[in-house]
């Protein structure tokens, strides 16, 4: 049994002092005792300990173009869709080695930011020219290998991508590396299931990319073939997508999905930005997780999710870093809250009620929702959960004069400082003193890959 002695820790019942956490050989929390006396063989951590945050949505390859899409094109032409065309072009050169290097570095940044689990929404399946690799799981297994090296818990979400638009429009040249049919997709899922059977840190779900990319019959077929486990889908991110869906089907995307699939707590609806009041309520009542990615949604000009009403309706949400344009737990949660303030003209919008800490409510809600979306027991420091624990520097300027119950407000709203000193992911001490265990080697490979890709 590994033992951690935490000076202050956020437990499900609130903040506690002198907390002894025991961790079993599988990386799960076996016991939690507050007000304990430190045993001699415990590792002592003097910062503020909080549950690790799940990152419920990311595309590893996009870390290679973070911040490269900010030079203006012809006046008025830059949009989500022009960014996507540029992102596709970056895939013209990305080899499996490049992909693994980029994925590993992104995961290091996540862990250092306090993310301890990741939903990898993976659609880069084929070789540069669009032909399948000898091993159809070549690219997926690169993401898995990166996670084994970095220690982040991985929920692999192999993506089904078949069309370029509603009505089953044929895929474009830029999408040649993504395309699978049902049989090839299900074979890939089976291959990953076999990997996961022997790996307690790997979960496998499925990800029909979007209603744009997966025609109705194909969606029904893969859902029937996969009755359990996480299902993630991009939905209603852009107004044009809503308009195209309406034109093709007579329904908006969220309505269409709820009318044609049994959407429940295993689903994660990524973005769900453009929803009517009815659609919003359908999501909240179904128990599906809204996968909010505020930084990417801001970067791409997507819009603002109606989080205040959704939360009041009991809706469940988590956060994702999606395009990885800037990877930060505090940053995602801050922007989520600030978006709501900017549209409502009020403060502490997502606090959950009088007297409550906005930062703590945001944090714990997103941690619980993220864990549900990724199909893992996590998001709380409690027996049975994964030992995903993040320690914040209690000596930092932004922490001065705070009682523990305002620590998360300090992290999220004050100073924008990198406060994470230590991270345990599945019991593995992967970040210590603010540095990842394998940071230097992974950084070297990332640098070489990026220099080649942008040469
Ligand atoms: C993706 N990203 O799959 O990486 C998408 C772009 C698309 C976001 N939607 C491609 N943010 O949606 O067609
Ligand atoms: Zn996405």
């Amino acid at each position: 049994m590994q033992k951690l002695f935490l000076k202050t820790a956020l437990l499900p019942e609130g903040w506690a002092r002198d907390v002894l956490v025991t961790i079993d050989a599988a990386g799960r929390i076996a016991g939690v005792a507050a007000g304990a006396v430190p045993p001699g063989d415990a590792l002592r951590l003097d910062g503020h300990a909080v549950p690790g945050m799940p990152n419920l949505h990311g595309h590893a390859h996009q870390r290679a173009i973070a911040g490269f899409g900010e030079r203006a094109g012809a006046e008025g032409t830059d949009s989500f869709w022009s960014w996507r065309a540029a992102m596709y072009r970056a895939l013209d050169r990305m080899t499996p080695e490049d992909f693994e290097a980029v994925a590993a570095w992104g995961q290091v940044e996540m862990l250092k930011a306090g993310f301890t689990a990741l939903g990898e929404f993976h659609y880069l399946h084929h070789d540069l020219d669009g032909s399948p690799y000898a091993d159809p799981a070549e690219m997926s297994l690169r993401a898995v290998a990166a996670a084994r090296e970095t220690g982040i818990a991985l929920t692999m979400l192999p993506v089904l991508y078949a069309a370029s638009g509603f009505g089953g429009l044929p895929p474009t040249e830029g999408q040649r590396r993504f395309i699978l049919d049902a049989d090839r997709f299900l074979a890939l899922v089976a291959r990953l299931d076999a990997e996961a059977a022997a790996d307690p840190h790997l979960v496998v779900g499925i990800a029909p990319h979007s209603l744009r990319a997966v025609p109705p019959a194909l969606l029904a077929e893969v859902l029937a073939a996969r009755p359990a486990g996480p299902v993630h889908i991009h939905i209603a991110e852009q107004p044009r997508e809503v308009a195209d869906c309406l034109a093709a089907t007579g329904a908006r995307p969220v309505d269409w999905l709820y009318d044609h699939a049994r959407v429940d707590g295993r689903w994660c609806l990524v973005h769900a930005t453009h929803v009517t009041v009815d659609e919003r309520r359908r999501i909240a009542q179904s128990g599906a997780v809204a996968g909010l990615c505020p930084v990417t949604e801001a970067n791409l000009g997507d819009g603002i999710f109606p989080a205040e009403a959704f939360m009041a309706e009991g809706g469940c949400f988590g956060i994702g870093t999606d395009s990885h344009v800037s990877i930060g737990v505090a940053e995602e949660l801050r922007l989520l809250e600030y978006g709501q303030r900017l549209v409502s003209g009020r403060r502490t919008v997502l606090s959950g009620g009088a007297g409550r800490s906005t930062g703590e409510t945001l944090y714990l809600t997103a941690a619980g929702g993220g864990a549900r979306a990724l199909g893992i027991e996590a998001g709380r420091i409690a027996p049975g959960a994964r030992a995903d624990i993040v320690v914040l520097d209690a000596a930092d300027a932004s922490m001065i004069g705070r009682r523990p119950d305002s620590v998360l407000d300090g992290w999220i709203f004050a100073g924008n400082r990198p406060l994470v000193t230590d991270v345990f992911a599945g019991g593995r001490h992967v970040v210590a003193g603010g540095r990842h265990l394998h940071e230097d080697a992974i950084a070297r490979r990332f640098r070489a890959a990026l220099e080649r890709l942008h040469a």
Side-chain angles (χ1 to χ4, degrees), residues 97-136:
E97 292 70 29
D98 295 332
F99 176 72
E100 186 174 338
V102 168
W105 179 251
Q107 292 171 11
V108 164
E109 290 185 333
M110 289 169 206
L111 287 159
K112 290 175 65 172
F115 287 115
T116 45
L118 169 64
E120 177 61 39
F121 197 108
H122 176 74
Y123 55 83
L124 192 55
H125 300 306
H126 304 313
D127 207 339
L128 302 181
D129 63 0
S131 58
Y133 285 107
D135 179 352

mmCIF file of all heavy atoms in Angstrom, residues 97-136:
data_model
loop_
_atom_site.group_PDB
_atom_site.id
_atom_site.type_symbol
_atom_site.label_atom_id
_atom_site.label_comp_id
_atom_site.label_asym_id
_atom_site.label_seq_id
_atom_site.Cartn_x
_atom_site.Cartn_y
_atom_site.Cartn_z
ATOM 1 N N GLU A 97 4.954 8.447 -35.855
ATOM 2 C CA GLU A 97 5.952 8.903 -34.871
ATOM 3 C C GLU A 97 5.657 10.340 -34.448
ATOM 4 O O GLU A 97 5.724 10.674 -33.263
ATOM 5 C CB GLU A 97 7.380 8.827 -35.449
ATOM 6 C CG GLU A 97 7.905 7.422 -35.698
ATOM 7 C CD GLU A 97 7.217 6.703 -36.865
ATOM 8 O OE1 GLU A 97 6.741 7.362 -37.819
ATOM 9 O OE2 GLU A 97 7.136 5.456 -36.800
ATOM 10 N N ASP A 98 5.352 11.196 -35.432
ATOM 11 C CA ASP A 98 4.990 12.588 -35.110
ATOM 12 C C ASP A 98 3.783 12.609 -34.182
ATOM 13 O O ASP A 98 3.744 13.332 -33.187
ATOM 14 C CB ASP A 98 4.586 13.366 -36.380
ATOM 15 C CG ASP A 98 5.730 13.546 -37.360
ATOM 16 O OD1 ASP A 98 6.895 13.576 -36.929
ATOM 17 O OD2 ASP A 98 5.437 13.659 -38.571
ATOM 18 N N PHE A 99 2.798 11.805 -34.532
ATOM 19 C CA PHE A 99 1.550 11.799 -33.773
ATOM 20 C C PHE A 99 1.806 11.401 -32.323
ATOM 21 O O PHE A 99 1.310 12.047 -31.388
ATOM 22 C CB PHE A 99 0.538 10.846 -34.428
ATOM 23 C CG PHE A 99 -0.751 10.720 -33.650
ATOM 24 C CD1 PHE A 99 -1.665 11.754 -33.620
ATOM 25 C CD2 PHE A 99 -1.030 9.563 -32.929
ATOM 26 C CE1 PHE A 99 -2.849 11.647 -32.882
ATOM 27 C CE2 PHE A 99 -2.203 9.443 -32.196
ATOM 28 C CZ PHE A 99 -3.112 10.493 -32.173
ATOM 29 N N GLU A 100 2.606 10.365 -32.128
ATOM 30 C CA GLU A 100 2.875 9.915 -30.753
ATOM 31 C C GLU A 100 3.628 10.988 -29.966
ATOM 32 O O GLU A 100 3.334 11.247 -28.793
ATOM 33 C CB GLU A 100 3.660 8.595 -30.759
ATOM 34 C CG GLU A 100 3.824 8.040 -29.349
ATOM 35 C CD GLU A 100 4.479 6.659 -29.302
ATOM 36 O OE1 GLU A 100 4.438 5.931 -30.314
ATOM 37 O OE2 GLU A 100 5.030 6.327 -28.240
ATOM 38 N N ALA A 101 4.572 11.650 -30.642
ATOM 39 C CA ALA A 101 5.354 12.690 -29.963
ATOM 40 C C ALA A 101 4.462 13.869 -29.554
ATOM 41 O O ALA A 101 4.564 14.399 -28.444
ATOM 42 C CB ALA A 101 6.485 13.177 -30.874
ATOM 43 N N VAL A 102 3.580 14.250 -30.459
ATOM 44 C CA VAL A 102 2.675 15.378 -30.195
ATOM 45 C C VAL A 102 1.666 15.010 -29.109
ATOM 46 O O VAL A 102 1.379 15.798 -28.196
ATOM 47 C CB VAL A 102 1.973 15.803 -31.509
ATOM 48 C CG1 VAL A 102 0.835 16.765 -31.241
ATOM 49 C CG2 VAL A 102 2.993 16.421 -32.476
ATOM 50 N N ALA A 103 1.147 13.778 -29.196
ATOM 51 C CA ALA A 103 0.173 13.314 -28.201
ATOM 52 C C ALA A 103 0.800 13.286 -26.813
ATOM 53 O O ALA A 103 0.191 13.733 -25.827
ATOM 54 C CB ALA A 103 -0.340 11.925 -28.584
ATOM 55 N N ALA A 104 2.027 12.769 -26.719
ATOM 56 C CA ALA A 104 2.671 12.639 -25.402
ATOM 57 C C ALA A 104 2.922 14.020 -24.793
ATOM 58 O O ALA A 104 2.683 14.231 -23.599
ATOM 59 C CB ALA A 104 3.982 11.864 -25.532
ATOM 60 N N TRP A 105 3.368 14.949 -25.626
ATOM 61 C CA TRP A 105 3.626 16.285 -25.062
ATOM 62 C C TRP A 105 2.331 16.960 -24.595
ATOM 63 O O TRP A 105 2.272 17.577 -23.529
ATOM 64 C CB TRP A 105 4.378 17.185 -26.050
ATOM 65 C CG TRP A 105 4.592 18.536 -25.464
ATOM 66 C CD1 TRP A 105 3.991 19.687 -25.829
ATOM 67 C CD2 TRP A 105 5.434 18.846 -24.337
ATOM 68 N NE1 TRP A 105 4.404 20.716 -25.018
ATOM 69 C CE2 TRP A 105 5.298 20.229 -24.087
ATOM 70 C CE3 TRP A 105 6.287 18.103 -23.522
ATOM 71 C CZ2 TRP A 105 5.968 20.887 -23.061
ATOM 72 C CZ3 TRP A 105 6.961 18.750 -22.500
ATOM 73 C CH2 TRP A 105 6.797 20.129 -22.270
ATOM 74 N N GLY A 106 1.284 16.800 -25.389
ATOM 75 C CA GLY A 106 -0.011 17.353 -24.976
ATOM 76 C C GLY A 106 -0.436 16.776 -23.631
ATOM 77 O O GLY A 106 -0.917 17.498 -22.746
ATOM 78 N N GLN A 107 -0.233 15.491 -23.460
ATOM 79 C CA GLN A 107 -0.613 14.845 -22.191
ATOM 80 C C GLN A 107 0.248 15.345 -21.026
ATOM 81 O O GLN A 107 -0.244 15.483 -19.901
ATOM 82 C CB GLN A 107 -0.515 13.324 -22.317
ATOM 83 C CG GLN A 107 -1.572 12.742 -23.273
ATOM 84 C CD GLN A 107 -1.334 11.275 -23.574
ATOM 85 O OE1 GLN A 107 -0.516 10.614 -22.943
ATOM 86 N NE2 GLN A 107 -2.048 10.745 -24.558
ATOM 87 N N VAL A 108 1.516 15.602 -21.293
ATOM 88 C CA VAL A 108 2.378 16.169 -20.239
ATOM 89 C C VAL A 108 1.833 17.537 -19.817
ATOM 90 O O VAL A 108 1.716 17.842 -18.621
ATOM 91 C CB VAL A 108 3.844 16.288 -20.723
ATOM 92 C CG1 VAL A 108 4.655 17.207 -19.819
ATOM 93 C CG2 VAL A 108 4.477 14.904 -20.790
ATOM 94 N N GLU A 109 1.463 18.343 -20.806
ATOM 95 C CA GLU A 109 0.889 19.655 -20.469
ATOM 96 C C GLU A 109 -0.403 19.506 -19.677
ATOM 97 O O GLU A 109 -0.671 20.287 -18.760
ATOM 98 C CB GLU A 109 0.651 20.470 -21.752
ATOM 99 C CG GLU A 109 1.953 20.921 -22.400
ATOM 100 C CD GLU A 109 1.742 21.822 -23.608
ATOM 101 O OE1 GLU A 109 0.678 21.718 -24.271
ATOM 102 O OE2 GLU A 109 2.632 22.619 -23.910
ATOM 103 N N MET A 110 -1.201 18.516 -20.044
ATOM 104 C CA MET A 110 -2.454 18.289 -19.303
ATOM 105 C C MET A 110 -2.171 17.918 -17.856
ATOM 106 O O MET A 110 -2.763 18.484 -16.925
ATOM 107 C CB MET A 110 -3.259 17.165 -19.971
ATOM 108 C CG MET A 110 -3.871 17.563 -21.300
ATOM 109 S SD MET A 110 -4.520 16.099 -22.153
ATOM 110 C CE MET A 110 -4.426 16.677 -23.850
ATOM 111 N N LEU A 111 -1.290 16.956 -17.665
ATOM 112 C CA LEU A 111 -0.991 16.510 -16.294
ATOM 113 C C LEU A 111 -0.444 17.666 -15.467
ATOM 114 O O LEU A 111 -0.848 17.865 -14.310
ATOM 115 C CB LEU A 111 0.008 15.342 -16.328
ATOM 116 C CG LEU A 111 -0.619 14.011 -16.806
ATOM 117 C CD1 LEU A 111 0.455 13.059 -17.302
ATOM 118 C CD2 LEU A 111 -1.455 13.367 -15.697
ATOM 119 N N LYS A 112 0.444 18.450 -16.046
ATOM 120 C CA LYS A 112 1.015 19.587 -15.309
ATOM 121 C C LYS A 112 -0.047 20.642 -14.995
ATOM 122 O O LYS A 112 0.105 21.438 -14.070
ATOM 123 C CB LYS A 112 2.164 20.219 -16.108
ATOM 124 C CG LYS A 112 3.389 19.308 -16.168
ATOM 125 C CD LYS A 112 4.483 19.869 -17.056
ATOM 126 C CE LYS A 112 5.049 21.149 -16.482
ATOM 127 N NZ LYS A 112 6.246 21.612 -17.238
ATOM 128 N N ALA A 113 -1.119 20.642 -15.783
ATOM 129 C CA ALA A 113 -2.208 21.591 -15.542
ATOM 130 C C ALA A 113 -3.233 21.051 -14.552
ATOM 131 O O ALA A 113 -4.133 21.775 -14.137
ATOM 132 C CB ALA A 113 -2.898 21.926 -16.869
ATOM 133 N N GLY A 114 -3.151 19.747 -14.220
ATOM 134 C CA GLY A 114 -4.101 19.170 -13.270
ATOM 135 C C GLY A 114 -5.117 18.215 -13.876
ATOM 136 O O GLY A 114 -6.010 17.746 -13.179
ATOM 137 N N PHE A 115 -4.992 17.948 -15.180
ATOM 138 C CA PHE A 115 -5.858 16.940 -15.812
ATOM 139 C C PHE A 115 -5.235 15.568 -15.603
ATOM 140 O O PHE A 115 -4.073 15.351 -15.960
ATOM 141 C CB PHE A 115 -5.982 17.189 -17.320
ATOM 142 C CG PHE A 115 -6.827 18.374 -17.700
ATOM 143 C CD1 PHE A 115 -6.249 19.473 -18.329
ATOM 144 C CD2 PHE A 115 -8.195 18.382 -17.466
ATOM 145 C CE1 PHE A 115 -7.021 20.569 -18.721
ATOM 146 C CE2 PHE A 115 -8.982 19.471 -17.853
ATOM 147 C CZ PHE A 115 -8.394 20.569 -18.480
ATOM 148 N N THR A 116 -6.008 14.625 -15.074
ATOM 149 C CA THR A 116 -5.458 13.295 -14.802
ATOM 150 C C THR A 116 -6.078 12.197 -15.671
ATOM 151 O O THR A 116 -5.688 11.035 -15.569
ATOM 152 C CB THR A 116 -5.655 12.934 -13.323
ATOM 153 O OG1 THR A 116 -6.990 13.284 -12.950
ATOM 154 C CG2 THR A 116 -4.665 13.694 -12.453
ATOM 155 N N ALA A 117 -7.044 12.550 -16.483
ATOM 156 C CA ALA A 117 -7.648 11.585 -17.406
ATOM 157 C C ALA A 117 -8.016 12.332 -18.678
ATOM 158 O O ALA A 117 -8.248 13.538 -18.650
ATOM 159 C CB ALA A 117 -8.894 10.949 -16.798
ATOM 160 N N LEU A 118 -8.071 11.576 -19.777
ATOM 161 C CA LEU A 118 -8.308 12.205 -21.074
ATOM 162 C C LEU A 118 -9.244 11.351 -21.919
ATOM 163 O O LEU A 118 -9.068 10.138 -22.015
ATOM 164 C CB LEU A 118 -6.960 12.350 -21.804
ATOM 165 C CG LEU A 118 -7.011 12.738 -23.291
ATOM 166 C CD1 LEU A 118 -7.604 14.135 -23.468
ATOM 167 C CD2 LEU A 118 -5.618 12.664 -23.917
ATOM 168 N N GLY A 119 -10.191 11.999 -22.564
ATOM 169 C CA GLY A 119 -10.997 11.351 -23.590
ATOM 170 C C GLY A 119 -10.399 11.699 -24.942
ATOM 171 O O GLY A 119 -10.490 12.841 -25.395
ATOM 172 N N GLU A 120 -9.746 10.721 -25.567
ATOM 173 C CA GLU A 120 -9.073 10.971 -26.852
ATOM 174 C C GLU A 120 -10.038 10.636 -27.985
ATOM 175 O O GLU A 120 -10.300 9.469 -28.273
ATOM 176 C CB GLU A 120 -7.788 10.146 -26.930
ATOM 177 C CG GLU A 120 -7.030 10.267 -28.247
ATOM 178 C CD GLU A 120 -6.570 11.691 -28.547
ATOM 179 O OE1 GLU A 120 -6.151 12.414 -27.624
ATOM 180 O OE2 GLU A 120 -6.639 12.084 -29.726
ATOM 181 N N PHE A 121 -10.532 11.678 -28.594
ATOM 182 C CA PHE A 121 -11.538 11.575 -29.676
ATOM 183 C C PHE A 121 -10.751 11.459 -30.974
ATOM 184 O O PHE A 121 -10.373 12.453 -31.585
ATOM 185 C CB PHE A 121 -12.383 12.842 -29.616
ATOM 186 C CG PHE A 121 -13.704 12.803 -30.345
ATOM 187 C CD1 PHE A 121 -14.890 12.742 -29.625
ATOM 188 C CD2 PHE A 121 -13.782 12.908 -31.723
ATOM 189 C CE1 PHE A 121 -16.123 12.772 -30.283
ATOM 190 C CE2 PHE A 121 -15.002 12.936 -32.380
ATOM 191 C CZ PHE A 121 -16.182 12.867 -31.657
ATOM 192 N N HIS A 122 -10.504 10.217 -31.348
ATOM 193 C CA HIS A 122 -9.433 9.967 -32.314
ATOM 194 C C HIS A 122 -9.942 9.562 -33.695
ATOM 195 O O HIS A 122 -10.559 8.520 -33.853
ATOM 196 C CB HIS A 122 -8.517 8.864 -31.773
ATOM 197 C CG HIS A 122 -7.449 8.483 -32.736
ATOM 198 N ND1 HIS A 122 -6.364 9.292 -32.961
ATOM 199 C CD2 HIS A 122 -7.323 7.427 -33.562
ATOM 200 C CE1 HIS A 122 -5.597 8.732 -33.891
ATOM 201 N NE2 HIS A 122 -6.157 7.607 -34.265
ATOM 202 N N TYR A 123 -9.630 10.367 -34.696
ATOM 203 C CA TYR A 123 -10.113 10.037 -36.050
ATOM 204 C C TYR A 123 -9.034 9.963 -37.109
ATOM 205 O O TYR A 123 -9.308 9.734 -38.274
ATOM 206 C CB TYR A 123 -11.206 11.021 -36.485
ATOM 207 C CG TYR A 123 -10.850 12.489 -36.440
ATOM 208 C CD1 TYR A 123 -10.167 13.101 -37.477
ATOM 209 C CD2 TYR A 123 -11.236 13.274 -35.356
ATOM 210 C CE1 TYR A 123 -9.872 14.449 -37.446
ATOM 211 C CE2 TYR A 123 -10.937 14.623 -35.313
ATOM 212 C CZ TYR A 123 -10.251 15.213 -36.356
ATOM 213 O OH TYR A 123 -9.958 16.557 -36.311
ATOM 214 N N LEU A 124 -7.779 10.127 -36.698
ATOM 215 C CA LEU A 124 -6.685 10.096 -37.677
ATOM 216 C C LEU A 124 -6.243 8.640 -37.851
ATOM 217 O O LEU A 124 -5.242 8.211 -37.292
ATOM 218 C CB LEU A 124 -5.545 10.967 -37.135
ATOM 219 C CG LEU A 124 -4.413 11.310 -38.079
ATOM 220 C CD1 LEU A 124 -4.954 11.955 -39.343
ATOM 221 C CD2 LEU A 124 -3.445 12.256 -37.386
ATOM 222 N N HIS A 125 -7.027 7.872 -38.633
ATOM 223 C CA HIS A 125 -6.822 6.429 -38.664
ATOM 224 C C HIS A 125 -5.820 5.958 -39.723
ATOM 225 O O HIS A 125 -5.142 4.977 -39.527
ATOM 226 C CB HIS A 125 -8.157 5.726 -38.941
ATOM 227 C CG HIS A 125 -9.219 6.004 -37.924
ATOM 228 N ND1 HIS A 125 -9.025 5.808 -36.575
ATOM 229 C CD2 HIS A 125 -10.491 6.473 -38.059
ATOM 230 C CE1 HIS A 125 -10.143 6.122 -35.922
ATOM 231 N NE2 HIS A 125 -11.041 6.538 -36.793
ATOM 232 N N HIS A 126 -5.771 6.657 -40.872
ATOM 233 C CA HIS A 126 -5.048 6.097 -42.023
ATOM 234 C C HIS A 126 -3.735 6.815 -42.335
ATOM 235 O O HIS A 126 -3.447 7.878 -41.802
ATOM 236 C CB HIS A 126 -5.945 6.138 -43.267
ATOM 237 C CG HIS A 126 -7.249 5.432 -43.087
ATOM 238 N ND1 HIS A 126 -7.346 4.179 -42.528
ATOM 239 C CD2 HIS A 126 -8.525 5.824 -43.360
ATOM 240 C CE1 HIS A 126 -8.619 3.816 -42.484
ATOM 241 N NE2 HIS A 126 -9.361 4.805 -42.970
ATOM 242 N N ASP A 127 -3.006 6.205 -43.256
ATOM 243 C CA ASP A 127 -1.710 6.722 -43.708
ATOM 244 C C ASP A 127 -1.903 8.052 -44.462
ATOM 245 O O ASP A 127 -3.033 8.440 -44.772
ATOM 246 C CB ASP A 127 -1.065 5.668 -44.625
ATOM 247 C CG ASP A 127 0.457 5.760 -44.613
ATOM 248 O OD1 ASP A 127 1.006 6.826 -44.254
ATOM 249 O OD2 ASP A 127 1.095 4.755 -44.983
ATOM 250 N N LEU A 128 -0.782 8.702 -44.770
ATOM 251 C CA LEU A 128 -0.825 10.040 -45.371
ATOM 252 C C LEU A 128 -1.692 10.094 -46.635
ATOM 253 O O LEU A 128 -2.379 11.092 -46.881
ATOM 254 C CB LEU A 128 0.591 10.507 -45.721
ATOM 255 C CG LEU A 128 1.589 10.558 -44.559
ATOM 256 C CD1 LEU A 128 2.948 11.061 -45.048
ATOM 257 C CD2 LEU A 128 1.076 11.456 -43.442
ATOM 258 N N ASP A 129 -1.645 9.020 -47.430
ATOM 259 C CA ASP A 129 -2.401 9.028 -48.693
ATOM 260 C C ASP A 129 -3.824 8.496 -48.526
ATOM 261 O O ASP A 129 -4.559 8.350 -49.499
ATOM 262 C CB ASP A 129 -1.656 8.199 -49.752
ATOM 263 C CG ASP A 129 -1.530 6.731 -49.349
ATOM 264 O OD1 ASP A 129 -2.013 6.350 -48.249
ATOM 265 O OD2 ASP A 129 -0.950 5.953 -50.143
ATOM 266 N N GLY A 130 -4.204 8.170 -47.305
ATOM 267 C CA GLY A 130 -5.567 7.704 -47.064
ATOM 268 C C GLY A 130 -5.715 6.193 -47.078
ATOM 269 O O GLY A 130 -6.800 5.677 -46.814
ATOM 270 N N SER A 131 -4.630 5.479 -47.381
ATOM 271 C CA SER A 131 -4.739 4.010 -47.348
ATOM 272 C C SER A 131 -4.578 3.512 -45.917
ATOM 273 O O SER A 131 -3.858 4.119 -45.126
ATOM 274 C CB SER A 131 -3.682 3.380 -48.262
ATOM 275 O OG SER A 131 -2.395 3.786 -47.851
ATOM 276 N N PRO A 132 -5.247 2.394 -45.583
ATOM 277 C CA PRO A 132 -5.141 1.888 -44.212
ATOM 278 C C PRO A 132 -3.703 1.465 -43.892
ATOM 279 O O PRO A 132 -2.992 0.985 -44.770
ATOM 280 C CB PRO A 132 -6.066 0.665 -44.208
ATOM 281 C CG PRO A 132 -6.914 0.783 -45.417
ATOM 282 C CD PRO A 132 -6.141 1.591 -46.424
ATOM 283 N N TYR A 133 -3.293 1.644 -42.660
ATOM 284 C CA TYR A 133 -2.010 1.097 -42.228
ATOM 285 C C TYR A 133 -2.113 -0.422 -42.179
ATOM 286 O O TYR A 133 -3.224 -0.971 -42.059
ATOM 287 C CB TYR A 133 -1.651 1.622 -40.822
ATOM 288 C CG TYR A 133 -1.195 3.070 -40.816
ATOM 289 C CD1 TYR A 133 -2.025 4.077 -40.323
ATOM 290 C CD2 TYR A 133 0.068 3.412 -41.289
ATOM 291 C CE1 TYR A 133 -1.607 5.402 -40.314
ATOM 292 C CE2 TYR A 133 0.496 4.743 -41.285
ATOM 293 C CZ TYR A 133 -0.345 5.734 -40.801
ATOM 294 O OH TYR A 133 0.065 7.032 -40.791
ATOM 295 N N ALA A 134 -0.951 -1.088 -42.239
ATOM 296 C CA ALA A 134 -0.926 -2.552 -42.140
ATOM 297 C C ALA A 134 -1.683 -2.978 -40.883
ATOM 298 O O ALA A 134 -2.462 -3.926 -40.900
ATOM 299 C CB ALA A 134 0.513 -3.046 -42.107
ATOM 300 N N ASP A 135 -1.451 -2.252 -39.798
ATOM 301 C CA ASP A 135 -2.238 -2.471 -38.584
ATOM 302 C C ASP A 135 -3.261 -1.347 -38.488
ATOM 303 O O ASP A 135 -2.895 -0.186 -38.292
ATOM 304 C CB ASP A 135 -1.321 -2.452 -37.362
ATOM 305 C CG ASP A 135 -2.109 -2.649 -36.068
ATOM 306 O OD1 ASP A 135 -3.361 -2.639 -36.120
ATOM 307 O OD2 ASP A 135 -1.474 -2.807 -35.022
ATOM 308 N N PRO A 136 -4.544 -1.661 -38.633
ATOM 309 C CA PRO A 136 -5.564 -0.592 -38.617
ATOM 310 C C PRO A 136 -5.586 0.203 -37.314
ATOM 311 O O PRO A 136 -6.115 1.313 -37.279
ATOM 312 C CB PRO A 136 -6.879 -1.336 -38.807
ATOM 313 C CG PRO A 136 -6.532 -2.734 -39.183
ATOM 314 C CD PRO A 136 -5.118 -2.997 -38.811
#
